[in-house]
Amino acid sequence: MASPLLLDMAIHTFDQARFLIGGDPISVRCHEFNPQGSWYEGNAAATCTFEFDNGVVFSYRGCWCAKGFPTSWESSWRVVCTRGTVLWDGKGSPQAQVAIPFDQPVDLTTEVAPVEVPATSAGREGHEGCLDALFASLRSGRTPETDCRDNIKSLAMVFGAIESARSGQVVDLRALGVGT
């Protein structure tokens, strides 16, 4: 496989990013490579920068052959916001810090306060929770979160990233029929 990380694994993180960002991807620039010591024949690492229609920029860095300090299937996240930062290791509860005071510009000397991040669901987690959500949507007649008409945008992120890595150019994802 020429691009094992991007083609087989990255779509899961791209789905998560789209969910968190709440927008549609419009462009991508990607560099992929195969680190020394990789057990893959194709490029098992990549760095991508995606722009979204709501102005958010999402940077992705992945390696499917790193030795030591494994990352969970859900990735490791750092979300930088206008008033603070949220960290999530993909396993435990997210951690957040908010700059204080809110009405002042944030700089390197601004104090921060930890924030309790409440659980978002009282239901089951993991695959069982996904199945519960799917069955609930079927019973209620509402469109499930994993509807393919929406997830095609994540697939466009994958193929756009591969094309960008191949061409060395920014790829306009709207040309692939997604986004605004």
Side-chain angles (χ1 to χ4, degrees), residues 66-79:
K67 296 173 179 82
F69 292 109
T71 303
S72 81
W73 181 271
E74 291 82 5
S75 301
S76 178
W77 293 86
R78 180 183 187 95
V79 180

Side-chain angles (χ1 to χ4, degrees), residues 4-23 25 46 48 50 52 58-64 71-79 88-90 151 153-155 157-158:
L5 173 73
L6 291 175
L7 196 54
D8 196 16
M9 179 56 96
I11 193 166
H12 304 292
T13 306
F14 296 170
D15 268 337
Q16 290 174 314
R18 287 184 42 252
F19 176 79
L20 291 171
I21 291 168
C48 306
F50 292 93
F52 281 74
F58 164 62
S59 62
Y60 168 83
R61 184 182 69 223
C63 180
W64 219 4
T71 303
S72 81
W73 181 271
E74 291 82 5
S75 301
S76 178
W77 293 86
R78 180 183 187 95
V79 180
W88 184 52
D89 67 2
N151 285 358
K153 297 170 187 175
S154 299
L155 193 57
M157 292 172 75
V158 168

Side-chain angles (χ1 to χ4, degrees), residues 35-168:
Q36 184 176 359
S38 169
W39 48 89
Y40 291 97
E41 187 173 321
N43 291 323
T47 301
C48 306
T49 303
F50 292 93
E51 292 185 48
F52 281 74
D53 61 357
N54 58 6
V56 172
V57 174
F58 164 62
S59 62
Y60 168 83
R61 184 182 69 223
C63 180
W64 219 4
C65 60
K67 296 173 179 82
F69 292 109
T71 303
S72 81
W73 181 271
E74 291 82 5
S75 301
S76 178
W77 293 86
R78 180 183 187 95
V79 180
V80 179
C81 308
T82 56
R83 298 188 316 184
T85 299
V86 180
L87 298 176
W88 184 52
D89 67 2
K91 291 182 181 179
S93 296
Q95 298 176 354
Q97 289 186 334
V98 176
I100 7 181
F102 293 121
D103 59 347
Q104 300 297 316
V106 177
D107 63 27
L108 293 177
T109 62
T110 303
E111 290 187 53
V112 294
V115 175
E116 182 75 26
V117 179
T120 58
S121 172
R124 295 190 298 174
E125 295 183 7
H127 290 106
E128 292 86 2
C130 291
L131 290 170
D132 291 344
L134 172 66
F135 294 135
S137 70
L138 291 172
R139 281 191 297 275
S140 70
R142 88 178 145 74
T143 303
E145 288 182 30
T146 57
D147 183 71
C148 67
R149 289 169 292 191
D150 183 61
N151 285 358
I152 195 75
K153 297 170 187 175
S154 299
L155 193 57
M157 292 172 75
V158 168
F159 289 119
I162 291 170
E163 174 58 25
S164 175
R166 186 198 63 72
S167 70

